[in-house]
Amino acid sequence: MSDLSAEDAKLVTLARAARARTRAAEGAAVRDSDGRTYAACTVALDTVELTALQLAVAMALSSGVKGLEAAAVVTDAESVNIDVVRYFAGANIPVVHAQGTGEVRDVVHS
């Protein structure tokens, strides 16, 4: 995580913690335009499935945020779907994709 800013490294840490608490497939965290953070994990029920990133964005939205600055997703999957960030926050929002160890795989932009 040394190549990340301190604020983006914090998002990875929050996403890792959310994933570890529940042993979920994914953990995610977002930072809103005021600097507040929201962390979530995957929800996989018989009738509802949300990615960790979808839930983290939903938590931010339900708190009344107007925009996002950055996001992070921790997963062992090869890729992450960032459509929810693109849809809500627009283009060029950095999304850190990290492994469960915290090692950064990639930084993609919405």
Side-chain angles (χ1 to χ4, degrees), residues 70-83:
V73 179
V74 173
T75 181
D76 294 327
E78 294 293 319
S79 63
V80 293
N81 183 333
I82 64 166
D83 288 345

Side-chain angles (χ1 to χ4, degrees), residues 28-32 38-40 51-65 67-68 70-71 73 81-89 93 95:
V30 298
R31 183 174 60 250
D32 71 16
Y38 306 85
T51 68
L53 189 56
Q54 288 171 332
L55 187 52
V57 170
M59 291 170 64
L61 282 168
S62 69
S63 295
V65 304
L68 298 179
V73 179
N81 183 333
I82 64 166
D83 288 345
V84 67
V85 172
R86 186 177 296 115
Y87 181 77
F88 173 65
I93 305 298
V95 180

